[in-house]
Amino acid sequence: MRNPPASSADLQGPTTSTARFETARRNFQRARLELTVAALEDLVLRVRTRHPEAAALLLICDDVEDALYLAEITDGAGNVLGSGGPLLDDRTTAQMLGNLCPPDLASLPGVTHDRVAMTFAVEIDAMD
């Protein structure tokens, strides 16, 4: 014997149509954006500490692992600087990159998103 339905079919639809869900979704999106901004600022600080002459970062997206990686650091003349070494190879930097949300990152000033190459070019001077 089946149990009768807990509520009739004509009552409130799925959870996503409630005002509480919309409020929670907006709060989550705001928090995700704030986390992305903070992670990018921390990453830029680490890069600037390691390479004071750094002018731009290139982040590349790996769509298989759904992750971002620091591909390149360049100075004002376009010369490639090392992307390894202290402050850039540690676990904290990997966590910062993990906290960058690509849709939010693409909307930030100083960030240019190339959808074809799946890269994010960050102008460090625009972050100041």
Side-chain angles (χ1 to χ4, degrees), residues 28-96:
F28 170 77
Q29 289 174 333
R30 185 176 61 244
R32 187 181 68 188
L33 175 62
E34 290 171 358
L35 180 61
T36 297
V37 169
L40 185 59
E41 287 173 351
D42 286 348
L43 180 61
V44 166
L45 179 64
R46 282 175 170 260
V47 167
R48 276 271 170 95
T49 301
R50 179 86 172 102
H51 300 291
E53 68 278 13
L57 307 175
L58 184 66
L59 303 170
I60 190 163
C61 184
D62 178 356
D63 63 341
V64 174
E65 295 185 19
D66 195 25
L68 288 169
Y69 297 97
L70 180 59
E72 189 175 84
I73 302 170
T74 55
D75 64 10
N79 299 320
V80 178
L81 306 172
S83 60
L87 294 176
L88 299 176
D89 280 343
D90 65 359
R91 183 177 177 184
T92 305
T93 301
Q95 289 172 336
M96 283 178 208

Side-chain angles (χ1 to χ4, degrees), residues 36 101-109 111-113 115 120:
T36 297
C101 178
D104 292 331
L105 185 61
S107 68
L108 297 178
V111 177
T112 305
H113 177 46
R115 293 178 188 270
F120 295 87

